[in-house]
Amino acid sequence: MQDKTHLVDEITGHRRMRRNRKADWTRRLVQENRLTVDDLIWPIFIVPGTGIVDPIAAMPGVNRMSVDKAVEAAKEAADLGIPAIATFPDIEMELRDETGSNSLVANNLINQTTAAIKKAVPNIGIITDVALDPFTSHGHDGILRDGEIVNDETVDQIVKAAILQADAGADIIAPSEMMDGRIGAIRRGLDAAGHQNVGIMSYATKFSSGFYGPYREAINTKGLLKGDKNSYYINPANGTEAIRDAALDVEEGADMLMIKPGLAYIDICWRVKEAFGLPTFAYQVSGEYSQIKAAAMNGWIDGERIMMETLLAFKRAGCDGILTYFAPEVARILAKR
Ligand SMILES: NCc1[nH]cc(CCC(=O)O)c1CC(=O)O
């Protein structure tokens, strides 16, 4: 019997949210969102050479791998049930130049990786980026001319790079350089080259963010980058502009959309999914990964718990999946449940 002197009144008393939370079985029964291994895309870093597994200081637990080791990692990922990987090259400094010309070399590091993984692990999806930053001597995503990142010339080049990536076996081209008109241009280029089945995951809303710091260390563009990327990435203050940018990519033929970074832009995830209904992905970027790892290593937070909580947040926000450096770690945990 409730004592009538309690402050909870009669009406409130009938509406008890805690009834559904009272036991594990009912909590499981009413759970709205779930993270599964099918939601994961694993970004990996590739270096030239063989037998190399080189830890990245700013990303504890993440390594740069030579192609042979990347093939092993891809096998492991496939065995864990991870649907796809995304590859990023850290090429020799001597190969980087003003225009990122190595992106147009058919058997460059990224295409070698794709071909090797496709051969050994045909069942894992391969997603490749066409931004020029791993290939340029100035660390920008496009061609730098007279202090400007030139849009249309960059698009011409990334279309060629995208075709070479598809020739090597890439399943999805994911352009991250935020040039205008690139999605339509890549679509037409791929189709003309006979790659109608190669998809495009647009980095539709990529913000000019501080969260990319550790990635730039991973692919060694940190010391190279002159200035910032504010003239092509989206201002973190702008949500409506991001939706407009994504709308253009949808019109131009994107198959999937991505929001990057993730957690600080969780509102954009929701808005993008609501607005377009396309398969939508968040990229939990390097800085998001590293801050969780660093705090966990200091004993300040429960790293595993926060890893799972942040990934679930993306599902709740409407994402169909997440690109995350945690992918193998998460997949192992999910396999045990
Ligand atoms: N095309 C650039 C690119 N490709 C992947 C990332 C970031 C990925 C991450 O931080 O995990 C970036 C951002 C940048 O360096 O400006």
Side-chain angles (χ1 to χ4, degrees):
M1 263 300 129
Q2 286 274 325
D3 179 341
K4 288 294 177 200
T5 63
H6 283 307
L7 294 175
V8 170
D9 68 27
E10 241 170 81
I11 292 168
T12 324
H14 286 126
R15 292 160 172 73
R16 299 263 170 182
M17 295 304 290
R18 292 183 56 191
R19 274 194 288 269
N20 289 342
R21 300 175 193 151
K22 70 178 179 184
D24 178 64
W25 67 264
T26 180
R27 289 193 291 269
R28 280 189 285 127
L29 202 58
V30 302
Q31 179 160 331
E32 298 173 31
N33 295 287
R34 278 191 171 77
L35 181 70
T36 78
V37 71
D38 298 329
D39 302 321
L40 303 172
I41 297 170
W42 185 27
I44 60 173
F45 297 106
I46 316 294
V47 285
T50 48
I52 299 169
V53 177
D54 179 25
I56 298 160
M59 301 178 73
V62 177
N63 304 303
R64 299 179 194 88
M65 295 176 280
S66 50
V67 176
D68 54 323
K69 292 292 174 184
V71 169
E72 283 174 28
K75 263 185 211 146
E76 241 182 270
D79 289 344
L80 284 164
I82 294 171
I85 55 176
T87 53
F88 295 96
D90 173 23
I91 70 169
E92 296 95 326
M93 282 297 156
E94 311 88 78
L95 294 181
R96 303 186 195 196
D97 59 23
E98 282 287 303
T99 61
S101 62
N102 186 256
S103 68
L104 298 180
V105 173
N107 73 334
N108 65 11
L109 185 60
I110 208 64
N111 294 334
Q112 275 176 40
T113 307
T114 302
I117 293 176
K118 268 288 144 191
K119 193 166 167 222
V121 198
N123 292 332
I124 200 159
I126 300 186
I127 302 172
T128 52
D129 189 359
V130 283
L132 300 181
D133 58 303
F135 307 100
T136 56
S137 49
H138 44 72
H140 278 291
D141 294 18
I143 297 169
L144 179 63
R145 186 144 296 142
D146 302 326
E148 195 193 325
I149 304 301
V150 288
N151 193 92
D152 297 8
E153 221 175 305
T154 299
V155 171
D156 290 347
Q157 180 164 332
I158 65 168
V159 169
K160 291 183 193 140
I163 293 167
L164 293 173
Q165 291 179 356
D167 290 343
D171 297 289
I172 295 178
I173 306 297
S176 82
E177 78 319 305
M178 293 297 283
M179 296 299 117
D180 286 321
R182 72 211 202 279
I183 300 300
I186 293 171
R187 185 67 273 157
R188 286 190 295 277
L190 288 173
D191 288 353
H195 291 301
Q196 287 85 358
N197 289 330
V198 172
I200 301 176
M201 177 188 282
S202 173
Y203 284 68
T205 72
K206 183 171 185 182
F207 291 87
S208 194
S209 169
F211 283 102
Y212 306 142
Y215 167 89
R216 293 183 188 170
E217 185 177 320
I219 67 157
N220 283 296
T221 56
K222 196 176 167 185
L224 299 179
L225 188 63
K226 294 190 185 77
D228 55 46
K229 302 190 177 183
N230 293 345
S231 79
Y232 44 108
Y233 291 177
I234 305 171
N235 179 347
N238 295 355
T240 302
E241 179 186 327
I243 302 305
R244 232 187 115 213
D245 206 325
L248 296 175
D249 292 358
V250 173
E251 265 175 47
E252 289 175 36
D255 301 289
M256 303 176 179
L257 300 172
M258 191 206 295
I259 292 86
K260 177 182 182 181
L263 211 54
Y265 300 89
I266 197 103
D267 56 322
I268 309 296
C269 294
W270 180 258
R271 289 175 70 177
V272 164
K273 186 66 189 186
E274 288 284 295
F276 309 110
L278 259 68
T280 300
F281 296 83
Y283 195 149
Q284 183 178 51
V285 299
S286 57
E288 299 179 73
Y289 173 88
S290 299
Q291 64 183 4
I292 293 173
K293 281 287 175 192
M297 284 162 74
N298 274 303
W300 295 336
I301 59 168
D302 179 340
E304 182 177 316
R305 181 171 179 181
I306 286 183
M307 168 179 80
M308 299 309 267
E309 190 175 329
T310 52
L311 292 170
L312 189 58
F314 294 120
K315 295 296 301 286
R316 197 190 60 243
C319 290
D320 297 278
I322 309 104
L323 291 93
T324 175
Y325 301 97
F326 287 119
E329 198 177 336
V330 176
R332 269 180 222 111
I333 292 168
L334 292 173
K336 273 187 241 143
R337 285 192 180 164

